[in-house]
Coordinates of all heavy atoms in Angstrom, one line a residue:
L540 N -13.8 -240.5 14.8 CA -12.6 -239.7 15.0 C -11.3 -240.5 14.9 O -10.9 -241.2 15.9 CB -12.7 -238.9 16.4 CG -13.5 -237.7 16.5 CD1 -15.0 -238.0 16.4 CD2 -13.3 -237.0 17.8
H541 N -10.8 -240.7 13.7 CA -9.6 -241.4 13.5 C -8.3 -240.6 13.8 O -8.5 -239.4 13.5 CB -9.6 -242.0 12.1 CG -8.4 -242.9 11.7 ND1 -7.1 -242.3 11.3 CD2 -8.2 -244.2 11.8 CE1 -6.3 -243.4 11.1 NE2 -7.0 -244.5 11.5
G542 N -7.3 -241.2 14.3 CA -6.0 -240.4 14.5 C -5.9 -239.8 15.9 O -5.1 -238.9 16.1
V543 N -6.8 -240.2 16.8 CA -6.7 -239.7 18.2 C -6.0 -240.7 19.0 O -6.4 -241.9 19.1 CB -8.1 -239.5 18.8 CG1 -8.0 -238.8 20.2 CG2 -8.9 -238.4 17.9
C544 N -4.8 -240.3 19.7 CA -4.0 -241.3 20.3 C -3.8 -241.0 21.8 O -3.8 -239.9 22.2 CB -2.6 -241.3 19.7 SG -2.7 -241.4 17.9
N545 N -3.8 -242.1 22.5 CA -3.4 -242.1 24.0 C -1.9 -242.1 24.1 O -1.3 -243.2 24.0 CB -4.1 -243.3 24.7 CG -3.8 -243.2 26.1 OD1 -2.9 -242.5 26.6 ND2 -4.5 -244.1 26.9
K546 N -1.4 -240.9 24.4 CA 0.2 -240.8 24.4 C 0.8 -241.0 25.8 O 1.9 -240.8 25.9 CB 0.5 -239.4 23.8 CG 0.1 -239.3 22.2 CD 0.6 -238.0 21.7 CE 0.4 -237.9 20.2 NZ 1.3 -238.8 19.4
I547 N -0.1 -241.2 26.8 CA 0.4 -241.3 28.1 C 1.3 -242.5 28.3 O 1.0 -243.5 27.9 CB -0.9 -241.5 29.1 CG1 -1.8 -240.3 28.8 CG2 -0.3 -241.4 30.5 CD1 -1.3 -238.9 29.0
Q548 N 2.5 -242.2 28.8 CA 3.5 -243.2 29.1 C 3.6 -243.5 30.6 O 2.7 -243.4 31.2 CB 4.8 -242.6 28.6 CG 4.9 -242.2 27.1 CD 4.6 -243.5 26.2 OE1 5.1 -244.6 26.4 NE2 3.7 -243.3 25.2
G549 N 4.8 -244.0 31.0 CA 5.0 -244.2 32.4 C 4.7 -245.7 32.8 O 4.8 -246.6 31.9
D550 N 4.3 -246.0 34.0 CA 4.2 -247.3 34.6 C 2.9 -248.0 34.1 O 2.1 -247.3 33.6 CB 4.2 -247.2 36.1 CG 5.4 -246.8 36.8 OD1 6.6 -246.9 36.1 OD2 5.5 -246.3 37.8
G551 N 3.1 -249.3 34.2 CA 1.9 -250.1 33.8 C 2.0 -250.7 32.3 O 2.7 -250.2 31.5
D552 N 1.2 -251.8 32.0 CA 1.2 -252.3 30.7 C 0.3 -251.6 29.8 O -0.4 -250.6 30.2 CB 1.0 -253.9 30.7 CG -0.5 -254.2 31.3 OD1 -1.3 -253.3 31.1 OD2 -0.7 -255.3 31.6
G553 N 0.3 -251.9 28.5 CA -0.6 -251.3 27.6 C -2.0 -251.2 27.9 O -2.7 -250.2 27.8
H554 N -2.5 -252.4 28.5 CA -4.0 -252.4 28.8 C -4.2 -251.6 30.0 O -5.3 -251.0 30.1 CB -4.3 -253.9 29.0 CG -4.5 -254.8 28.0 ND1 -5.6 -254.8 27.1 CD2 -3.7 -255.8 27.4 CE1 -5.5 -255.7 26.2 NE2 -4.4 -256.3 26.4
M555 N -3.3 -251.6 31.0 CA -3.5 -250.8 32.2 C -3.6 -249.3 31.8 O -4.5 -248.6 32.3 CB -2.5 -251.1 33.2 CG -2.4 -252.4 33.8 SD -1.0 -252.9 34.6 CE -1.1 -252.0 36.2
R556 N -2.6 -248.8 31.1 CA -2.5 -247.4 30.6 C -3.7 -247.1 29.7 O -4.2 -246.0 29.7 CB -1.2 -247.1 30.1 CG -0.1 -246.8 31.1 CD 1.3 -246.4 30.5 NE 1.9 -247.6 30.0 CZ 2.6 -247.8 28.9 NH1 2.7 -246.8 28.1 NH2 3.2 -248.9 28.6
G557 N -4.0 -248.1 29.0 CA -5.2 -248.0 28.1 C -6.5 -247.5 28.8 O -7.1 -246.6 28.3
I558 N -6.8 -248.4 29.8 CA -8.1 -248.0 30.4 C -7.9 -246.9 31.6 O -8.7 -246.1 31.8 CB -8.7 -249.3 31.0 CG1 -10.2 -249.0 31.5 CG2 -7.9 -249.9 32.2 CD1 -11.0 -250.2 31.8
G559 N -6.8 -247.0 32.3 CA -6.6 -246.1 33.4 C -6.3 -244.7 33.1 O -6.6 -243.8 33.8
C560 N -5.8 -244.5 31.8 CA -5.5 -243.1 31.4 C -6.5 -242.6 30.3 O -6.4 -241.5 29.8 CB -4.1 -243.1 30.8 SG -2.8 -243.9 31.8
L561 N -7.5 -243.5 29.9 CA -8.5 -243.2 28.8 C -9.2 -242.0 29.1 O -9.3 -241.2 28.3 CB -9.3 -244.4 28.6 CG -10.3 -244.3 27.5 CD1 -9.7 -244.2 26.1 CD2 -11.3 -245.6 27.5
L562 N -9.8 -241.9 30.3 CA -10.8 -240.8 30.6 C -10.0 -239.8 31.5 O -10.5 -238.7 31.7 CB -12.0 -241.3 31.3 CG -12.9 -242.2 30.5 CD1 -14.2 -242.5 31.2 CD2 -13.1 -241.6 29.1
T563 N -8.8 -240.1 32.0 CA -8.1 -239.2 32.9 C -7.1 -238.4 32.1 O -6.7 -237.3 32.5 CB -7.3 -240.0 34.0 OG1 -6.4 -240.8 33.5 CG2 -8.4 -240.8 34.9
G564 N -6.4 -239.0 31.1 CA -5.4 -238.3 30.4 C -4.1 -238.0 31.1 O -3.4 -237.2 30.8
V565 N -3.9 -239.0 32.1 CA -2.7 -238.7 33.0 C -2.1 -240.0 33.4 O -2.9 -241.1 33.3 CB -3.0 -237.8 34.1 CG1 -3.8 -238.6 35.2 CG2 -1.8 -237.3 34.8
E566 N -0.9 -240.0 33.8 CA -0.2 -241.3 34.1 C -0.7 -242.0 35.3 O -1.4 -241.4 36.1 CB 1.3 -240.9 34.3 CG 2.1 -240.6 33.2 CD 1.8 -239.1 32.8 OE1 1.3 -238.4 33.5 OE2 2.3 -238.7 31.6
L567 N -0.4 -243.2 35.4 CA -0.7 -244.0 36.7 C 0.4 -243.8 37.6 O 1.6 -243.6 37.4 CB -0.7 -245.5 36.2 CG -1.6 -246.0 35.1 CD1 -1.5 -247.4 34.8 CD2 -3.1 -245.7 35.4
F568 N 0.0 -244.0 38.9 CA 0.8 -243.9 40.1 C 1.7 -245.2 39.9 O 1.3 -246.3 39.5 CB 0.2 -244.0 41.4 CG -0.3 -242.5 41.8 CD1 -1.7 -242.3 41.8 CD2 0.6 -241.6 42.1 CE1 -2.2 -241.0 42.2 CE2 0.0 -240.3 42.5 CZ -1.2 -240.0 42.5
P569 N 2.9 -245.2 40.4 CA 3.7 -246.4 40.8 C 2.8 -247.3 41.7 O 2.1 -246.8 42.6 CB 5.0 -245.9 41.4 CG 5.2 -244.4 41.0 CD 3.7 -243.9 40.9
G570 N 3.1 -248.6 41.6 CA 2.2 -249.4 42.4 C 2.7 -250.8 42.3 O 3.8 -251.1 41.7
D571 N 1.9 -251.9 42.8 CA 2.4 -253.1 42.9 C 1.6 -254.1 42.0 O 1.5 -255.3 42.1 CB 2.4 -253.6 44.2 CG 1.0 -253.5 45.0 OD1 0.1 -253.2 44.3 OD2 1.0 -253.9 46.1
I572 N 0.8 -253.6 41.1 CA 0.0 -254.3 40.1 C 0.8 -254.6 39.0 O 1.2 -253.7 38.3 CB -1.4 -253.7 39.8 CG1 -2.2 -253.2 41.0 CG2 -2.2 -254.5 38.9 CD1 -3.4 -252.4 40.7
Q573 N 1.2 -255.9 38.8 CA 2.0 -256.3 37.7 C 1.3 -256.7 36.5 O 0.3 -257.5 36.6 CB 2.9 -257.5 38.2 CG 3.9 -258.0 37.2 CD 5.0 -257.0 36.8 OE1 5.7 -256.6 37.7 NE2 5.1 -256.7 35.6
G574 N 1.6 -256.1 35.4 CA 1.0 -256.4 34.1 C 2.1 -256.8 33.0 O 2.9 -256.1 32.7
G575 N 1.9 -258.1 32.6 CA 3.0 -258.6 31.7 C 4.4 -258.4 32.0 O 4.7 -258.6 33.4
S576 N 5.2 -258.0 31.3 CA 6.6 -257.8 31.6 C 7.0 -256.3 31.9 O 8.0 -255.9 32.1 CB 7.5 -258.3 30.5 OG 7.3 -257.6 29.2
D577 N 5.8 -255.4 32.0 CA 6.0 -254.0 32.1 C 6.2 -253.7 33.6 O 6.0 -254.5 34.5 CB 4.8 -253.2 31.5 CG 4.7 -253.4 30.0 OD1 4.0 -254.4 29.6 OD2 5.3 -252.6 29.3

Side-chain angles (χ1 to χ4, degrees):
L540 282 66
H541 183 273
V543 180
C544 308
N545 180 349
K546 295 180 176 291
I547 306 302
Q548 301 299 316
D550 295 335
D552 67 20
H554 283 284
M555 294 165 72
R556 278 179 282 142
I558 191 170
C560 311
L561 181 63
L562 300 186
T563 65
V565 71
E566 289 77 11
L567 304 176
F568 280 113
D571 57 4
I572 302 174
Q573 180 67 55
S576 59
D577 297 89

